[in-house]
Structure formats: structure tokens, C-alpha cells
């Protein structure tokens, strides 16, 4: 059997160990310490945001963003539909209700036209929550303008898009609050972890407070609010500091993988996940979309790849099709449109591992070409 080709696995460089060693040498083996402080500063500087709070996951960052927006039981939050469930689950943690907004075909992200319909219908929404799918920025000008017009704060889920830019601005700088993830398969990883980003210093302080069990300033343990244990460990932050140095290198490699697929499929009834001209994705995952009415399904390709020990993955199943969100609102540009459902049915995430060799990618491509001519 050939060596397994992964969708997206961790790529370590050795520098990570230096920071971990430092934490051991100074005995800061705790959810605080120099690595945590420096990782926050380094990441905020990279993104171009004023403040960052290192947390245990992207999900926890999104949860605290939802809390900051004051979401209470029964409140509406307008969310991306075509995304990972982690984007939208935190709304439920606070008792809020997700209304899902369909995607457009230019970026696969939230369609601003559908967002406008949703905001007209739910002007009382507590937040708009937008994910940048597979590392491709959403149409931020249009989305931000609508959020401003309706006075609804924007939360950016930049878990998949670290390093991607829209009009030369990093994703994670558009939202009032933003979230990053350093999970094992993301473009850089700390094994597990995340970050909350904002220009609002008070908001980031509040996040740090909630994330460390909401301890009031008192010599004894005093609490006026419910707290969480969400702070990143100093060991984990050390991995992050080592990884961040290589982020741009990772993006270049991911882009090269994407361009190779794109070129190979040029003459075939396959499109690659698209982006708008004014944006530069981080190319986290390369995804293919089989032309409508072509006789081959993504499942056939995925199973053929799996037989050769090659990992691929279906597109995220849209949230409005998930049993757990049955009965929630789904807003598309008209009543028969379901762009997310269509992309789900025709798309496939292809191996986009930073360590994939040219020969390995050629093998992936030739298996796909065996089906689609
Ligand atoms: C990975 C991911 C998250 C969650 O991040 P964790 O660090 O795994 O909690 C949230 N949203 C999207 C779109 C993701 O891909």
C-alpha cells in the first residue's frame, strides 16, 4: 500500500520545540506565560489587529464573541450556511437561534444579496456571523456595508482563512470580533487552539476574564459572572510561535497545490473553488466542483481515492440540511435556490497537504482524470 496522502495534516519545522523547551526550562507549564503573551502579540501584529486573546479553540473564541454581542435565549444570529458546524454551534450555547444565509458561486461564502433579505426580515438580529470557507475571503465590502446599514455587529470566523486577504486587508480584521483556529488540520496548528481578535481592548480584556473562570479582582475567589476554562496553555502557545514563522511558506505551498490542480483540470468539466479578483485566499483546501449534469459524483471519486489510500472529504454539509438545525430559517435569493446544497452535491475537498510531493499530486490527478474526461 502506498503511503497515505492526507487532506491537510500538521507540518512541523523544529522551531516549535525551542519554545516548548523554553516553557519547560522556566517551568511555565500552565495556561499562562511568555509564549501565550508573545503568541498573542505576534499574531495580532501579523493580522493587523490591535488585540488578541489565545484560547483553547476557535470554537471557544466564537462562543465568547457571541456572548459579547449580548446573545440571549431566543435571539437571532444570522449565520453562514455552508460551513463547519463549529461556526454556528456557539450561538446555541447561549440559547440563540441561527438563521442561515445561502452562499454565492463566486466565493462559496455568504451571499450579500441573501444577507440583505435576512436583515430585512430580522433587523433585530444580534450579530452576523460570516465564515471564510476553505481560506477564501467572503465579499466583505458588501457584507460590511449591510451590517453597518442595519447596525448589526459582524463576527468573522477566520478559522480556515488565516493569512488570506481581501483588498490587501487580512481576514480577521473586518469583524467587530473575529476568531482563528489552530486545530490540527488548519494552515498552522498548535495541536488544538484558537484566538479571539478585536481592536476593542475592553472586549479582549473581557474575553480573558471569562476565559479564566471570571475571577473578580479580590484576594479570595470571588465571582459575579459565570466563567469558563478557555485559556491556551503556554506549551501550546509555544508550538504556535514556532508555526507562525512558517505561515507565509505554508500559504505559498498551498497556493502551488491549488494552481497545479487548476491547471490539470483546465480542459475538464471541473471548476476549482473560486475567489474574487480583489482577494487572495490562503488556499487552505483545494476543492473541485464537477459541472452540473456530468455523470460522475464526488462520492465515486472519493471512494476511488480512498482505495489508493488517499484522503479527500465531502464539502461541508450546509447547516440548513443538518438534522440538529431542523426548523431554523434558511434565506436564499429566491425560494428555489440552494447554492450551498448544490456545491455540497457536486464538490469535493482534495488532498491539500503541505507535504504532498509532485508525484503524489500527479497520482491524485490521474485517478480523478480516470473518471472525468
Ligand atoms: C476549524 C473550524 C472552527 C473551529 O475551530 P476549533 O479550533 O476546531 O474549535 C470553526 N469554524 C470553522 C469554519 C472551522 O473550519
Amino acid at each position: 500500500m502506498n503511503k497515505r496522502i492526507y487532506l491537510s495534516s500538521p507540518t512541523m519545522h523544529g522551531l516549535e520545540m525551542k519554545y516548548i523547551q523554553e516553557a519547560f526550562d522556566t517551568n511555565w507549564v500552565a495556561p499562562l506565560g511568555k509564549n501565550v503573551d508573545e503568541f498573542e502579540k505576534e499574531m495580532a501584529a501579523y493580522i493587523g489587529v490591535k488585540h488578541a486573546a489565545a484560547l483553547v479553540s476557535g470554537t471557544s473564541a466564537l462562543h465568547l464573541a457571541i456572548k459579547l454581542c449580548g446573545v440571549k435565549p431566543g435571539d437571532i444570529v444570522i449565520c453562514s450556511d455552508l460551513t463547519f458546524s463549529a461556526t454556528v454551534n456557539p450561538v446555541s450555547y447561549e440559547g440563540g437561534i441561527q438563521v442561515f444565509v445561502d452562499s454565492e458561486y463566486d466565493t462559496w461564502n455568504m451571499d450579500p444579496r441573501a444577507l440583505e433579505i435576512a436583515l430585512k426580515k430580522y433587523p433585530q438580529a444580534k450579530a452576523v456571523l460570516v465564515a471564510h470557507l476553505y481560506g477564501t475571503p467572503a465579499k466583505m465590502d458588501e457584507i460590511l456595508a449591510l451590517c453597518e446599514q442595519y447596525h448589526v455587529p459582524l463576527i468573522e470566523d477566520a478559522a480556515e482563512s488565516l493569512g488570506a486577504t481581501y483588498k490587501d486587508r487580512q481576514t480577521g480584521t473586518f469583524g467587530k470580533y473575529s476568531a482563528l483556529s489552530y486545530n490540527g488540520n488548519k494552515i498552522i496548528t498548535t495541536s488544538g487552539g484558537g484566538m479571539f481578535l478585536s481592536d476593542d481592548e475592553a472586549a479582549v480584556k473581557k474575553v480573558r476574564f471569562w476565559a479564566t473562570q471570571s475571577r473578580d479582582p479580590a484576594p479570595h475567589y470571588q465571582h459575579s459572572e459565570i466563567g469558563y476554562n478557555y485559556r491556551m496553555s503556554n506549551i501550546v502557545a509555544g508550538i504556535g510561535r514556532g508555526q507562525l514563522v512558517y505561515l507565509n511558506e505554508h500559504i505559498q505551498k498551498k497556493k502551488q497545490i491549488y494552481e497545479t490542480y487548476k491547471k490539470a483540470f483546465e480542459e475538464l468539466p471541473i471548476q476549482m473553488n473560486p475567489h474574487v479578483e480583489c482577494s487572495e485566499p490562503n488556499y487552505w483546501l483545494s476543492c473541485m466542483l464537477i459541472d452540473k449534469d456530468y455523470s460522475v459524483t464526488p462520492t465515486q471519486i472519493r471512494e476511488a481515492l480512498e482505495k489508493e489510500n488517499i484522503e479527500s472529504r465531502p464539502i461541508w454539509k450546509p447547516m440548513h440540511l443538518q438534522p440538529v438545525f431542523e426548523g431554523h430559517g434558511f434565506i436564499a435569493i429566491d425560494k428555489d435556490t440552494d447554492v450551498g446544497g448544490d456545491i455540497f452535491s457536486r464538490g469535493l475537498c482534495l488532498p491539500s497537504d503541505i507535504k504532498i510531493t509532485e508525484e503524489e499530486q500527479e497520482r491524485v490527478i490521474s485517478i480523478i482524470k480516470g473518471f472525468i474526461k
Side-chain angles (χ1 to χ4, degrees):
M1 189 51 107
N2 280 312
K3 184 166 122 267
R4 185 153 178 83
I5 301 176
Y6 290 100
L7 191 78
S8 183
S9 72
T11 301
M12 294 293 128
H13 302 273
L15 181 60
E16 299 86 356
M17 285 304 290
K18 173 178 153 285
Y19 294 111
I20 294 175
Q21 191 61 51
E22 227 173 78
F24 271 75
D25 291 346
T26 55
N27 202 33
W28 284 97
V29 184
L32 77 169
K34 184 179 168 194
N35 283 335
V36 173
D37 296 343
E38 293 301 314
F39 189 34
E40 287 176 345
K41 279 189 210 141
E42 289 158 6
M43 188 59 70
Y46 179 92
I47 301 263
V49 74
K50 288 204 182 107
H51 306 281
L55 303 176
V56 289
S57 63
T59 308
S60 56
L62 288 164
H63 180 196
L64 299 184
I66 290 290
K67 273 179 77 76
L68 280 169
C69 290
V71 174
K72 296 278 180 305
D75 285 343
I76 299 285
V77 177
I78 297 173
C79 301
S80 287
D81 175 59
L82 185 61
T83 186
F84 183 35
S85 63
T87 306
V88 306
N89 280 336
V91 175
S92 297
Y93 302 168
E94 292 302 311
I97 298 168
Q98 301 85 344
V99 167
F100 301 113
V101 172
D102 198 16
S103 291
E104 33 79 2
Y105 285 110
D106 299 336
T107 73
W108 296 8
N109 291 305
M110 182 185 280
D111 187 336
R113 293 168 303 173
L115 173 60
E116 185 162 22
I117 299 168
L119 283 165
K120 275 193 184 130
K121 191 165 174 189
Y122 303 102
Q124 79 282 19
K126 281 291 170 72
V128 170
L129 176 44
V130 171
H132 304 287
L133 207 66
Y134 302 129
T136 299
K139 293 182 175 173
M140 292 318 292
D141 278 353
E142 293 88 335
I143 290 170
L144 263 181
L146 284 164
C147 288
E148 275 161 25
Q149 188 188 332
Y150 285 84
H151 306 289
V152 179
L154 176 71
I155 302 173
E156 248 186 301
D157 177 356
E160 300 180 358
S161 66
L162 173 57
T165 57
Y166 178 91
K167 294 194 171 168
D168 294 325
R169 236 174 100 184
Q170 291 277 327
T171 60
T173 62
F174 294 90
K176 185 169 183 202
Y177 312 123
S178 305
L180 300 175
S181 168
Y182 311 115
N183 205 336
N185 65 5
K186 298 294 178 355
I187 194 148
I188 63 169
T189 182
T190 62
S191 69
M195 220 172 248
F196 174 92
L197 309 175
S198 181
D199 282 335
D200 179 351
E201 187 176 10
V204 178
K205 281 195 171 143
K206 188 83 195 191
V207 161
R208 291 205 186 98
F209 169 77
W210 279 331
T212 48
Q213 308 287 20
S214 298
R215 287 176 60 185
D216 292 342
H220 55 278
Y221 279 73
Q222 168 97 6
H223 305 279
S224 318
E225 285 189 68
I226 294 294
Y228 302 85
N229 183 4
Y230 277 176
R231 209 63 167 117
M232 180 183 277
S233 121
N234 198 46
I235 304 298
V236 159
I239 306 176
R241 291 180 76 190
Q243 284 270 287
L244 178 54
V245 174
Y246 293 93
L247 173 56
N248 289 341
E249 201 175 286
H250 286 194
I251 294 170
Q252 285 319 306
K253 180 68 208 216
K254 293 271 192 188
K255 181 172 183 174
Q256 194 186 323
I257 292 167
Y258 177 91
E259 298 292 349
T260 301
Y261 282 126
K262 196 174 165 84
K263 189 148 190 301
F265 299 149
E266 229 164 27
E267 309 289 321
L268 301 179
I270 296 174
Q271 311 299 319
M272 293 301 293
N273 47 334
H275 61 273
V276 285
E277 195 82 14
C278 64
S279 76
E280 180 66 14
N282 70 2
Y283 301 93
W284 174 54
L285 289 188
S286 289
C287 308
M288 61 183 261
L289 192 65
I290 304 167
D291 283 5
K292 274 199 177 91
D293 304 323
Y294 197 78
S295 57
V296 174
T297 66
T299 306
Q300 284 172 291
I301 293 172
R302 185 167 53 76
E303 286 170 358
L305 290 170
E306 193 52 55
K307 268 200 194 112
E308 299 294 323
N309 206 19
I310 299 167
E311 184 185 17
S312 62
R313 187 164 74 186
I315 300 294
W316 300 125
K317 183 176 181 178
M319 293 302 111
H320 79 280
L321 299 176
Q322 299 289 353
V324 70
F325 297 122
E326 209 184 313
H328 286 234
F330 171 61
I331 311 277
I333 52 168
D334 61 57
K335 76 172 181 12
D336 298 319
T337 303
D338 180 358
V339 173
D342 179 47
I343 292 170
F344 171 61
S345 71
R346 297 192 285 125
L348 187 68
C349 303
L350 298 175
S352 308
D353 196 73
I354 289 162
K355 296 171 296 312
I356 196 171
T357 65
E358 273 175 49
E359 298 73 43
E360 286 171 332
Q361 199 178 355
E362 275 318 309
R363 261 177 47 225
V364 174
I365 289 166
S366 75
I367 291 166
I368 296 168
K369 282 184 166 172
F371 279 90
I372 302 181
K373 299 185 172 77

